[in-house]
Amino acid sequence: MPGRAGVRPQADAATPVSLLPLFAWLTPSFPVGAYAYSHTLEWAVEAGDIRDEESLGAFLGDLLALGFGRSDAILAAHALRAAVAGDEAALAEVNALAVALAPSAELRLETCQQGRSFLDAVRAAWPAPGLDAAATALVGEVAYPVAVGLAAGVHGLPLAPTLEAFLLATVQNLVSAAVRLAPIGQTVGTRVVARLAPTVHALALEIPALTLDDLGSATFRADLGSFRHETQYTRLFRS
């Protein structure tokens, strides 16, 4: 049953929807603090797993298709649908699951700090009918993909472009961290983003048909790296 926020308006195929909010929300300048996190890349560079363009592309491709990228996109999709339906109970349930699935304390901090910062920034600068009511369903920690899905849902943004933009921004944030950590330059980083764009597109097409039962990852070395990161001798990033 829909919660007190009610059902959100959703544009049909004949109604053009501006995607400008996505462009604003998922740029590096949006104040979520993404620059402070590397999602285990800092450890991977120190361990020698990431050395050059090829190893970076392979590492990020696995994180995207087999790890947190795919799972976060599933969570964002379900949060968007719950927000559209005004189902605050479902929204809170998806958020609790997203927070619980973080494999380490550092990665939990990463998703929750960015999620809360994202939601606070959207509420302050991009108001929409029902946004505040839906946000009240998320008490305490807010996972980043859930915050993005919630905001997209109440703003009536379509699912597929939201997922593509979210996944591409994820890749770009990780590449930005890698440029600061590894012996690669901006041109190499740009090539890696282009290389992973087809994977982003394929995932965005696959995710809408998946359920929460399809959540899962197989990036065990990266997950273990998130534990080892906190004991590194020098660190630039918080994860």
Side-chain angles (χ1 to χ4, degrees), residues 44-201:
V45 170
E46 181 168 303
D49 291 358
I50 296 175
R51 306 170 302 280
D52 51 24
E53 178 177 352
E54 185 62 31
S55 56
L56 175 62
F59 194 91
L60 295 188
D62 285 346
L63 285 181
L64 190 63
L66 305 175
F68 87 105
R70 176 180 177 275
S71 293
D72 277 5
I74 294 174
L75 293 164
H78 282 266
L80 186 152
R81 288 172 173 149
V84 168
D87 192 338
E88 296 170 9
L91 188 62
E93 182 178 349
V94 171
N95 183 62
L97 180 60
V99 173
L101 287 176
S104 71
E106 285 196 351
L107 296 181
R108 180 167 177 160
L109 174 66
E110 177 179 310
T111 190
C112 291
Q113 186 271 311
Q114 292 184 64
R116 174 56 65 186
S117 297
F118 178 90
L119 190 55
D120 288 346
V122 170
R123 293 177 72 182
W126 294 81
L131 175 59
D132 288 341
T136 59
L138 305 182
V139 179
E141 295 175 313
V142 181
Y144 181 55
V146 174
V148 173
L150 185 163
V154 298
H155 277 267
L157 298 176
L159 179 59
T162 297
L163 293 177
E164 279 199 312
F166 174 72
L167 288 168
L168 186 64
T170 298
V171 172
Q172 290 175 311
N173 284 331
L174 293 176
V175 166
S176 176
V179 168
R180 285 174 277 168
L181 289 167
I184 63 172
Q186 292 181 335
T187 299
V188 166
T190 301
R191 284 202 299 262
V192 170
V193 173
R195 166 181 169 177
L196 294 175
T199 303
V200 166
H201 181 65

